[in-house]
Each structure stands twice: as structure tokens, then as C-alpha cells.
Amino acid sequence: MTALKVIPQLLCWAVLVPVMSRSLTGMATAVTAAAGFVVGVAGENLLLAYVGGELPFRPLRGVCGVIFLLLWGASVWALYRRGSKGSDAEAVSSPGPLAAGLAASATGVLAGALTLCRLAPLDGGAVRLVPYLSLACAGAVLALAATFPARYLPERLAPRGIPLLALVVSALMVMACSVQRLDIFSPLSMEVMKFIHDFVHQFFESMLIPDHPFFRSDVWGYIGLLFSDKVGLWGGLALWYLPVLFIALALRLERLPSVAHIRQGAARRKLLASFIHERRLRLVAPLFALVLLTGAAYQSRFPATEYWDPKPVEVTATPAGQIVIPKKGEMDLEDGKLHKFSYSQGGRQARFFVMLTPAGQLVTTLDACAICQPEGYGQAGNAVICYYCKTLIPLETVGKPGGCNPVPVPCSVKGDAVVIDAMTLLNTWESTVQVTAHGKGMGK
Amino acid sequence: MAAIIETSGLTRSYGDICALKPLDLCVPEGEWLTVMGHSGSGKSTLLNLLGGLDRPTGGSIQVRGTDLASLSEDGLARFRRDCVGIIFQQHHLIPYLTALENVMMSQYFHSVPDEAEARHALERVGLGHRLKNRPGELSGGEQQRVCIARAIINSPRLLLGDEPTGNLDHKSTTMVMELLRELRDEDRFSIVMVTHNQEVAAWGDRTIHMDDGCLVREERIKAC
Amino acid sequence: MNKRRWLAHIVFRALVHRRGRTLLLLAVLTLASSLATALGLVSASMRARVAEETRKYGANLVVVPESARVEVGSGGLHFGAIGEPAYLSQEQFLTALAKSGVKGDYSFHLEGALTLKGVEIPCEGVDFAQVRRLSPWWQVDGDWPREGEVLGGGDLTPRHHVHPGDLFEFGGGKGVVRTRVSGVVTTGGDEDDTLFIDLKELQEQMGRPGQVSEVRLLADPGNGSLKDQAALLQRHLSGAVVKELRQVGRTSEDLLGKVQLLMLLVTAVVLVTAGSSVAGTMSTTVLERGKEIGLMKAMGGSRWDLLKIFSAEALLLGVGAGVGGFLLGVVIAKFVAHSVFAADAALRLEFLPVAVGVSMLLALAGSVGPLLSVFRLDPVQSLRGE
């Protein structure tokens, strides 16, 4: 089971190393990468064991963000430089052994650390010895074994320079995005959404246009589109793909070689054809990078759930408008896990969960918080995680309001049952969701 | 002078019928070789083997140092597009393409189509005014000249002719042969041509006579 | 000229050269894809139509208490009921509905009687909002009742001089109900001699809070057969019987299934026929063009080059026929839906990729055999024949 979790990452690694060793300095690269992987695994596990908390993850996520920015920079540079292809392009294609070694080891360390994070237990602490050692071995063996298929990789297909960077970064993104706490795609799309939201706000404010009175409601409908979750996703996807697309475009727009000096027509055409063919082959690396990025975005969008996340049970209210859930009915409410319920009346619907806090108190909260989109929570060990912003909330604070904590709903324990007022629940849900979903205009 | 074609013990049989008995042939670079014989004497088989359209059943055949027997199907296609130009008796032009497009088709398989160059090639064979005509609108001699333009467009080192004048009258024949000689003098390619017309054979440097798959006689017309 | 554009150019030239055959292929492919599109469109709009029709007929399930009284007579000859009236708890029904997972709209009904000037009038307690949703055919003269108002049946007007806007005092319950009649309803059924009153009010008057004598349920026929849904609900309802109210829902659902199966079969047959006719035409074409193929091979075209040319031809035909087929299919679907089902088939753009996909696949599938022979063709033999 544990082994299955890291298969996508190891697969990425197994693809990455042969390409790198082919493009850089062969066997030496593979060995360096293998060493880097082992160091990365070991270092990350040490961090997990002795530092704990968020600290092992945050810098790693930062590094991922930085290399993604680096890719952006490189892509813009490539697009800018495409016209003046000359002797310096040759210099890029054959990096010195030192640079190659550095690149390989850095990639290895990052890959190792990222892969280990996938195995990190959700409730903190280090990875146990057996999976830890076997992961290190598997990574190293894969890297060394990769020199064998690398020999069969055609020289012309091996990417050089910036396309290689695109491939490496996108493979690392796949590794990062499969760990929810390292995922950088969903923060990206969230930032995009926030930016658009703030921008429109500021714009209206600076133009001294009051928000509501002057617009018909259908106009607001269109402006409201700017605030929907989709905008964040599509904007995020655009930022996600653009650098690699830029690189592909730069390759595609590379000028044809000058052939005017060749007298014989056939030889001239042959040269052109082979250049076009080569250019097409060089597009393979960026296109593959696009596939990898898609995989990363997919993983981030639909994470492999390893959280306790039961399907909401539908409940109904008594005629008096009370929702009564027995403590020891079909499920045991006091088993320390969250139990999701949904209640609907007419066209109104609310989702909530009930759980026993470590303090021994039964609390009822909405399956949504006051600031994020209502994507709900899952439980991981001694915390619940908000699926939207990936914040971990310790169980001790569940039931308290504020931040990304699930919004509490007043409830009372009467005998063997938890009693919630249906009207209060629906009203709380609606007021919360109306604020967070940004559905209609700006909730000023 | 280096040999462009070198065969040793080259044979080709279809089942029990032996179309080509062991043949040793050497064609120096730049030579115009004419192959004569009755139909069924194996001369077309020899031409197909030289053009990489067919594979020998025995012996070796080397064109510009490449052993054709060792090439794969796609390797042979590559050899045909890079090294050989073929002129057919029935012209074999693509009926729905214009003269220009027929020439460009050959460029397409070779590398990339280039209209200006194709036009130039047609002007060289004297068809500058017939670029946009379909083969059906051209006379036999004109069709054969399109065929020649198509054959030489990729600058092959070897031009193969399978009775190129078989369907032409006397006047056109002379015109085509003169054109061929002119082009050869400019581009210095070798020609191997199959014919049973003595007059046509006289244009070449050397003639070999074949009968029943065997080389029976050889005569040199001009010194190389 | 760019290689790709050249490929398109020569493929186009070849297609134009064989105008007749191209048109034939286009026609076959267009027909096939238009049929597929039309059947898909008709089937989709029929599903919507059936759902709408079912809705028009109102509730399709009814839940009554098990020991319900037997009504004797009906309409004007209403002799009353035999046996004690039984009741069903609203809450029990709602719980059962939630547990069974059956989805649908419902209305509660409580039958009783009130007196008007000493005469007993059958009356029914309902939630007007529910009834209005479930009985779209009710024609109300006047307004639907607001709070504290009642609705009279059409036959009450001649019998008891009930008109919209009148104030009446009804007795017979716990107290006297003084209320305004907001409108008169005519349905042509039993409802015409019933007085409709707010459910809560009647429950209070009869001293039966939270109880009803009948629940009508409009289960969504899209969620599986009505029979299954009834059985599912029955399992969670003890002391009550779930009956299928009308056969309409069931028959239309059966019919829909059968018609869809028929359409699927027809489409399959058409596709197979079209595919084989494409295959036939394509292989004749390839046979005819043997010399051309041999020539291309002799000019240095590799097998892949030729495969590319010929499959590009098939694909071009497929795309053209797909777009044409979609347009034709929409017209056919409109015609069929209009003349047979008296409904309008909505234009659905999502069928465009389906149509193009169908004709492209058909064209490619039909050309597999001929393409293989292109692949294997020997240039020497094909060039020799005169």
C-alpha cells in the first residue's frame, strides 16, 4: 500500500534520470543524481524526525515555487533570445561537468525529499525505517539502472538547455503536487482568484464607482463570473502552462538556417528538411513536460484521498425543526472521527459534521469555513484539513470560530442524542457560503 | 575513376525462372551505359535492381558504395529518393497534378517542396510555358521531358531509363536524347538506359547486350 | 511550400480528380453520421419529452395507510366510507423517503369533512404550494389561496353558492373556521366537490396533528423503474401501502427503453453497412491507383509517407462528411421529432464532435484493408502492367 503511493513519483524519477544523463554527462550524472536522491531522502527524514511540524514542508514548497519561477524566467528569456540564435546556443548545449553535476545533484536532492514527503505520516513524525530505507534504495537503483535505457535514447531526442530545464521542473512539479502539503498548483490558482477579486475591487474603488446601484443585476452576473472558482482554476492553469508553451513557441519560431550559399537545390532542401525535422524532435521535450504538468495539476485538483472523509449521511428534522442524531445509532459519534451529515429542506441544503474533540466535547460545525470555498474537510490523524486551502486544523481548535476553522453551529446534547436546530443550521450555512462563494457580486 | 555501380554474381530469380544469371558489372562514375536485348532478356530486372525497386536473390550490388541487399524497406526508399532518378517508358506522371506539381511531388518525398526550383527545372527541359498543364494536355515528348525534370530535380548521381524513347516518334526521341546529353554534361551524373533501339544506343558511351539473363556482348562507343 | 500544406493540397487534388467516387463516399459517410446524430438527438429530446409528459400527469406513486377505509360509490353517489379511517404520520413518511433514497416531489393530503350551514362538505387538507406543483392541470378561477384562505371545488358553486371572494363559516371541527374562498378549482375529477383547506388547519380541526390520509409522490422516472422505486419505499414504510398511481409513468418509461434500443440497433446496422460500403469503395480506389502508388514508391516515398497520404484522404473525407452529417442530422431530427413526437428537438452542439468522430472512424475503419494493401504493394509489379 505504501509502495503504491510513491509509484508515480518513482516513475517520474525513472524517466527523468535517463534523459538527464543523456543530455548531461552520462554515467557521472546518473551517479550524482542517485547520490542526491539518497541525501534528499535522508535529509528530509531527519527534518521530519527532529524538527517536525510544518517546518520540513515549508522550505521545500518554497524551493518548488522558486524553481517554477525560474522556469518562467527561462521561458521568457528563451522567447526573447530566439531570434538571435548563434554561437552561444552551442555553449548552452554542453554544460561543464561541474554545472552538470550540480544540476544533477540538486535535482536528486529535491526529488528525494519530495518523494519522502509522500510517505510522511500525516500526524507528524518520521517515516519508519523500512519504507525509508527501501525508498532510498529504490531511488538510487532506479537512477543507476537508468543509464541502461539512456543508451537507447536517440541523441536527437535528448533535450538541451532550457527544454531540459522545463522537463526537470515539470517532473519535480508532479512529485510536489502529489503531496498535498507541497502542492503549489492550488495556491497558485487561489492567488490568481484573489488577485482578480482584489483588482476588480480596487478598480471600482479608484474609479469612484459605487458597487451596486448603477448596474443592472445581469451586469453583475457577468462581473460575478470573474469571481467564480473557475476563474481561479483557468487562470492558474494558464500560468501553469505558459512557461512551457513559451519554450515550445521559442523552439518552433527558431529561424531556419541560412541556405542561400548552397548552390545545389537538392542539398539545400535536404538541409532545410533535416532542420525542420530536428526542430520537431526538439519539441518532444516541452510537449512531454506539458503532459507532466497536466498530471501535476490533475493530482492537485483531485488529490488521492487518504483522509478520513465519510460520505455525508442525509438527516431529516422533526416537525419541531430539530435535527436529532443519536450518539450510538448507526454510527458511534464519540469515536474521535468526524461524521458528516447533510440536511436539506426545500431547495436549501447544508453540510455539517459532528465530532468528539480531544477535550471530550461533542461539537457540531459546518463542513465549510468562513473564508474558503466550501470544499469541506477531511480528517488526518489529530487534525482536520481544509480541502480548499490545505490548512491543517488541530482537533483541539475544532468547534472554535475564526480563520479557516470550520464554522461552529450551536448544538445541545440531550440524553443519548445531539440536537441541532435546523433553521439555525441552514441560516449559518447560507450566510457562510454566500460570503465565501463570491457567487453574486462583491459581498461588501 | 571510381565506380558508381559494382555488382558481383548478381542474380534474380522468380521461382524457378532465372531472370538474371550471375552478372558482374562495373559502371564508372559519369558513364552512359546502354543495355540492349530482347524483351525477357533480363534488362528490366537489372534496372529494377539498380534502382532499389527490387531485391537480388544472390550476389552483391553496390551503388555508390552502399550494399543495396543490406538495406531495409525504408532504407531502400531513402536510397531511391536520394541517389536515383528514374525515367519510365510510359512516363507515369500523376494524372491529376500539373507538370509543376508532378515535379514538386518528387521534392516532397525527398525533402520539402520548392516551387521556384521546380519551375527552374522545367525551364531547363524547355517546358517553361507548360507549367500548369496536366499530363493529359501534354504530348508524349513533353510528358517525357516532365518525367526527366522530375528525375533530375533531386540531383541524383544515377539516372535510370527504362526505354525512355519507346513511345516517342523519331523527332521527339532525338530531342529527348539531346536533352539528356546536355543535362549529363552539366550535372555529371551517370546514366544506365535500357533500350532495343540501335539509334538510341548510339548516344551512350558503352553498350552491353543481354540475352536470357546473361551478358553476351559488350561494345564501347566512345572512350571514357 | 510547407510540407503539411503540400500534403493537404495533393490530397485535395486527388479527391477532386475522382469527383464521383469522392461524392459517393461523402454521401455514404454523411448519411451514416447524420443518422447517428439524428437518432442521438431524437433520443435525447424524447427523454426530456417523456420526463415532461410524466410530470404533466402529476404524481405517479401514492402512499396510503394500510387499513384505509374503502370508499363506496364516487362522485355524486358518494355513500361514505366503510371501516375506520386510518392515518399515516407525515414524519414517518419523510424518514422513509430519506432512508429509501427515492427522490421526488410529494404532497400530503388529509381527508375529512366540515359543515357549511349544517350541510357536511367533504374537504381535503393540503399544502397548496405542493399541490400546485404536482397538479399543473388544475384550473383555478380566482386566485390560489393565501394564508387563511381556502379553495373550493367547481361543483360547490351550484350546490352551496360558493364564489371566489366569499366569506364562509365552516363548522364541524373543533371550532368555527371563518375564512375566505379565494378561488374555485375545476378539474373534471373528484376534486370538484371537495373543499381544499390548509393542511395544518384541518389537522388542528380534526385533532390529528402531523397525520395525513394520503401522500402523493412524483418519483423521478429517471432514477430507475417506478416499480423498483415503489418497492424501495415500501421496504421502509410499515403500516402503509405504496401503490403506483397511474400506469403512464411506467409505460412511457418502458417505451422509451424499447425505442432507444431500436434506435441503437438501427444505428449499428447503418454504421456497419456504411462501413462496408466505404471499405468497398476505398479498395477499388486503391486498386485503380496501384500505378500511382507504385510510382510514388519508386520516387522514394516510404511506406509511411504513402500511408500518411491515404489516411489523410480518409480523414479529410471523414471531417467533411461529419460536419455535413451533423447539419443534415439536425434537420432530420427536427423533422422526426416534429412529425412523430410533436416535440421540438433542441439543437445540441455536443453532437458535432460525435458526428465528426463517427464519420472519421468509419472512414478510417473502412480504409484499414486498402491501406494495408498500399503498405504492401510492390512497385515493380504495379508499374509494369500496361
Side-chain angles (χ1 to χ4, degrees):
Chain A
M1 202 51 222
T2 356
L4 278 181
K5 284 208 277 187
V6 291
I7 280 183
Q9 278 156 314
L10 286 181
L11 264 181
C12 268
W13 180 238
V15 171
L16 195 55
V17 177
V19 175
M20 271 175 60
S21 71
R22 189 76 178 136
S23 307
L24 298 173
T25 48
M27 189 66 188
T29 305
V31 173
T32 327
F37 192 90
V38 173
V39 170
V41 169
E44 183 67 18
N45 209 27
L46 281 179
L47 272 181
L48 280 176
Y50 294 108
V51 183
E54 278 293 297
L55 200 61
F57 297 103
R58 203 156 286 165
L60 211 53
R61 188 155 139 178
V63 170
C64 287
V66 167
I67 59 169
F68 188 67
L69 283 183
L70 211 70
L71 184 67
W72 255 100
S75 71
V76 172
W77 193 77
L79 207 56
Y80 173 69
R81 293 288 299 183
R82 66 172 172 87
S84 54
K85 187 185 180 275
S87 55
D88 58 353
E90 294 305 308
V92 171
S93 67
S94 52
L98 193 69
L102 260 177
S105 57
T107 312
V109 170
L110 256 178
L114 291 173
T115 314
L116 187 88
C117 283
R118 183 87 175 99
L119 291 182
L122 290 164
D123 40 7
V127 178
R128 267 174 297 128
L129 196 63
V130 177
Y132 160 56
L133 283 183
S134 45
L135 177 66
C137 290
V141 167
L142 270 179
L144 293 180
T147 51
F148 179 69
R151 253 178 273 153
Y152 294 97
L153 188 72
E155 178 68 28
R156 294 190 299 180
L157 270 180
R160 311 245 175 245
I162 290 171
L164 176 66
L165 178 71
L167 201 61
V168 170
V169 171
S170 50
L172 287 176
M173 288 303 126
V174 174
M175 294 178 163
C177 286
S178 57
V179 185
Q180 286 218 337
R181 277 181 279 183
L182 296 177
D183 177 11
I184 68 166
F185 176 69
S186 55
L188 179 73
S189 49
M190 197 151 85
E191 284 303 316
V192 169
M193 203 183 70
K194 261 194 202 150
F195 174 78
I196 294 175
H197 183 257
D198 290 353
F199 176 80
V200 175
H201 249 301
Q202 299 284 333
F203 177 77
F204 274 86
E205 229 148 76
S206 64
M207 300 297 287
L208 289 175
I209 301 173
D211 270 359
H212 296 291
F214 288 140
F215 294 105
R216 293 205 316 273
S217 57
D218 49 338
V219 175
W220 273 115
Y222 291 119
I223 295 177
L225 286 180
L226 282 178
F227 301 115
S228 63
D229 185 31
K230 287 276 178 287
V231 171
L233 174 66
W234 290 112
L237 275 181
L239 290 183
W240 193 239
Y241 283 133
L242 270 181
V244 177
L245 285 178
F246 278 170
I247 290 170
L249 192 68
L251 285 179
R252 181 67 187 75
L253 289 180
E254 231 170 63
R255 277 195 205 139
L256 293 174
S258 150
V259 287
H261 60 282
I262 300 174
R263 292 282 304 282
Q264 199 190 48
R268 200 163 54 206
R269 276 185 282 118
K270 201 93 204 167
L271 193 71
L272 277 183
S274 77
F275 177 80
I276 291 169
H277 184 65
E278 209 116 291
R279 192 170 68 182
R280 198 169 299 159
L281 284 183
R282 259 180 299 166
L283 279 176
V284 169
L287 291 185
F288 190 64
L290 278 184
V291 173
L292 285 179
L293 284 180
T294 309
Y298 181 83
Q299 271 182 325
S300 151
R301 196 79 187 144
F302 308 98
T305 311
E306 56 204 74
Y307 300 103
W308 163 254
D309 184 7
K311 207 171 166 285
V313 178
E314 286 215 24
V315 288
T316 49
T318 60
Q322 306 249 292
I323 300 169
V324 180
I325 304 164
K327 272 190 197 169
K328 305 244 186 259
E330 283 172 38
M331 61 188 79
D332 182 6
L333 290 186
E334 292 178 314
D335 59 359
K337 290 176 177 168
L338 65 80
H339 300 281
K340 285 197 182 178
F341 300 93
S342 76
Y343 170 69
S344 57
Q345 193 222 345
R348 309 165 75 191
Q349 199 187 19
R351 223 166 54 230
F352 63 101
F353 64 83
V354 182
M355 76 184 306
L356 189 72
T357 61
Q361 190 195 355
L362 264 179
V363 293
T364 307
T365 62
L366 294 186
D367 194 19
C369 74
I371 49 180
C372 293
Q373 302 261 341
E375 297 206 347
Y377 290 84
Q379 186 179 12
N382 53 6
V384 292
I385 187 168
C386 166
Y387 286 138
Y388 189 74
C389 69
K390 324 281 187 219
T391 311
L392 282 174
I393 291 140
L395 292 190
E396 283 80 6
T397 71
V398 172
K400 296 192 175 78
C404 190
N405 274 28
V407 176
V409 179
C411 70
S412 52
V413 180
K414 283 185 189 144
D416 277 347
V418 178
V419 181
I420 306 149
D421 185 59
M423 237 36 220
T424 319
L425 174 72
L426 285 176
N427 289 339
T428 320
W429 173 268
E430 275 163 11
S431 60
T432 305
V433 170
Q434 223 147 48
V435 174
T436 55
H438 303 297
K440 294 183 186 95
M442 291 170 277
K444 242 191 173 175
Chain B
M1 195 176 269
I4 187 160
I5 299 170
E6 241 182 326
T7 71
S8 62
L10 182 66
T11 53
R12 178 69 171 101
S13 46
Y14 299 96
D16 292 340
I17 306 151
C18 201
L20 198 65
K21 306 261 169 67
L23 176 75
D24 297 321
L25 184 69
C26 178
V27 180
E29 191 97 45
E31 190 187 44
W32 184 331
L33 176 76
T34 314
V35 184
M36 292 192 71
H38 324 281
S39 51
S41 60
K43 51 188 175 20
S44 287
T45 308
L46 174 65
L47 209 68
N48 288 338
L49 287 171
L50 290 177
L53 291 169
D54 201 357
R55 288 166 179 284
T57 39
S60 81
I61 173 165
Q62 291 209 338
V63 178
R64 302 193 72 207
T66 327
D67 184 11
L68 295 191
S70 70
L71 290 180
S72 66
E73 190 91 357
D74 290 332
L76 276 178
R78 229 168 293 136
F79 163 77
R80 286 197 293 266
R81 73 169 80 125
D82 288 344
C83 304
V84 193
I86 307 178
I87 309 171
F88 304 93
Q89 179 180 6
Q90 294 97 6
H91 324 309
H92 290 312
L93 295 171
I94 298 175
Y96 50 84
L97 296 181
T98 63
L100 188 67
E101 284 166 343
N102 262 294
V103 176
M104 283 167 78
M105 195 76 200
S106 186
Q107 289 177 324
Y108 167 73
F109 287 126
H110 174 265
S111 48
V112 283
D114 181 342
E115 193 176 333
E117 197 194 322
R119 184 176 293 139
H120 178 68
L122 279 169
E123 279 161 6
R124 261 179 96 185
V125 298
L127 284 176
H129 57 297
R130 303 293 250 161
L131 297 176
K132 299 285 175 199
N133 290 87
R134 304 268 172 94
E137 301 155 2
L138 299 174
S139 72
E142 282 171 331
Q143 285 192 40
Q144 196 57 292
R145 280 188 278 160
V146 175
C147 197
I148 291 171
R150 186 179 65 189
I152 60 161
I153 188 72
N154 294 326
S155 309
R157 297 315 301 154
L158 177 64
L159 193 70
L160 301 175
D162 191 356
E163 310 229 16
T165 56
N167 283 1
L168 302 182
D169 57 27
H170 182 75
K171 201 176 143 218
S172 305
T173 302
T174 320
M175 228 158 111
V176 164
M177 295 320 280
E178 259 169 9
L179 175 65
L180 271 182
R181 172 176 288 172
E182 224 170 85
L183 291 173
R184 184 185 74 135
D185 290 347
E186 276 173 48
D187 291 359
R188 309 300 318 159
F189 48 78
S190 316
I191 300 179
V192 175
M193 183 181 291
V194 165
T195 185
H196 47 248
N197 185 338
Q198 281 288 349
E199 238 173 275
V200 169
W203 289 84
D205 302 331
R206 181 162 66 116
T207 307
I208 55 174
H209 292 266
M210 290 184 70
D211 192 22
D212 201 18
C214 294
L215 200 161
V216 287
R217 189 155 55 90
E218 183 176 335
E219 65 188 286
R220 186 161 293 280
I221 297 163
K222 303 180 189 101
C224 230
Chain C
M1 196 185 275
N2 162 322
K3 258 190 128 157
R4 210 166 304 147
R5 214 174 309 151
W6 173 258
L7 181 68
H9 176 75
I10 55 165
V11 163
F12 189 70
R13 273 301 182 76
L15 287 177
V16 170
H17 181 63
R18 277 156 224 282
R19 234 166 274 121
R21 190 145 297 164
T22 305
L23 283 180
L24 178 69
L25 275 178
L26 267 179
V28 168
L29 288 173
T30 306
L31 219 62
S33 79
S34 73
L35 257 174
T37 314
L39 292 182
L41 275 173
V42 167
S43 154
S45 61
M46 235 179 80
R47 177 164 281 279
R49 173 90 180 154
V50 163
E52 193 189 320
E53 291 272 322
T54 322
R55 228 190 143 68
K56 245 190 217 162
Y57 286 116
N60 43 21
L61 291 180
V62 64
V63 184
V64 289
E66 210 157 82
S67 56
R69 55 203 168 147
V70 179
E71 303 276 348
V72 182
S74 82
L77 293 168
H78 197 262
F79 302 124
I82 302 172
E84 269 302 291
Y87 298 97
L88 176 73
S89 141
Q90 266 172 297
E91 202 180 315
Q92 188 198 353
F93 170 75
L94 286 178
T95 324
L97 192 67
K99 271 191 193 156
S100 67
V102 173
K103 293 259 166 1
D105 213 345
Y106 52 82
S107 67
F108 292 117
H109 301 258
L110 176 65
E111 281 172 25
L114 289 174
T115 54
L116 175 65
K117 296 169 194 151
V119 185
E120 192 168 273
I121 301 178
C123 66
E124 200 167 318
V126 290
D127 182 326
F128 286 110
Q130 292 175 348
V131 166
R132 198 172 176 176
R133 277 204 307 274
L134 259 84
S135 316
W137 65 89
W138 278 25
Q139 288 174 0
V140 175
D141 181 17
D143 294 319
W144 279 85
R146 280 186 293 275
E147 200 152 329
E149 294 181 333
V150 296
L151 196 64
D155 288 351
L156 294 182
T157 309
R159 240 180 264 167
H160 304 282
H161 310 290
V162 174
H163 297 286
D166 293 350
L167 266 174
F168 287 102
E169 279 183 7
F170 296 102
K174 284 197 171 156
V176 175
V177 191
R178 202 181 148 73
T179 178
R180 206 175 76 96
V181 177
S182 71
V184 171
V185 61
T186 320
T187 66
D190 286 349
E191 291 92 347
D192 282 3
D193 54 8
T194 312
L195 181 73
F196 291 92
I197 187 166
D198 185 62
L199 180 64
K200 284 234 171 69
E201 178 79 45
L202 189 65
Q203 283 173 343
E204 211 171 282
Q205 290 295 323
M206 291 170 66
R208 300 200 172 273
Q211 292 192 313
V212 294
S213 50
E214 186 182 293
V215 184
R216 291 187 190 159
L217 177 65
L218 171 60
D220 185 0
N223 278 350
S225 96
L226 214 50
K227 208 170 163 187
D228 294 345
Q229 294 199 49
L232 205 61
L233 190 57
Q234 180 71 74
R235 209 173 301 149
H236 294 275
L237 264 178
S238 54
V241 187
V242 183
K243 291 192 284 195
E244 285 176 54
L245 191 60
R246 285 168 214 257
Q247 297 297 311
V248 175
R250 237 180 100 185
T251 30
S252 59
E253 173 184 301
D254 281 358
L255 190 70
L256 182 66
K258 274 177 190 150
V259 169
Q260 273 177 341
L261 187 67
L262 183 72
M263 286 180 164
L264 219 67
L265 283 175
V266 170
T267 315
V269 169
V270 166
L271 288 189
V272 168
T273 324
S276 36
S277 107
V278 169
T281 318
M282 277 291 202
S283 40
T284 353
T285 313
V286 165
L287 275 183
E288 268 183 21
R289 296 173 70 176
K291 198 163 283 178
E292 195 184 315
I293 296 160
L295 172 71
M296 287 183 184
K297 283 194 171 179
M299 278 199 289
S302 65
R303 292 174 300 178
W304 293 112
D305 284 333
L306 287 156
L307 216 59
K308 209 156 74 180
I309 292 175
F310 280 84
S311 40
E313 241 184 80
L315 284 182
L316 196 69
L317 277 178
V319 172
V323 174
F326 174 71
L327 295 177
L328 188 61
V330 169
V331 174
I332 295 178
K334 286 236 185 251
F335 176 72
V336 169
H338 195 74
S339 59
V340 181
F341 300 106
D344 196 35
L347 181 99
R348 288 161 182 251
L349 273 185
E350 65 260 36
F351 275 94
L352 178 62
V354 173
V356 172
V358 162
S359 76
M360 253 164 65
L361 242 137
L362 214 58
L364 271 189
S367 340
V368 166
L371 284 179
L372 274 179
S373 63
V374 167
F375 204 79
R376 278 198 297 250
L377 187 122
D378 179 17
V380 175
Q381 276 180 9
S382 62
L383 283 176
R384 186 188 295 146
E386 173 71 314

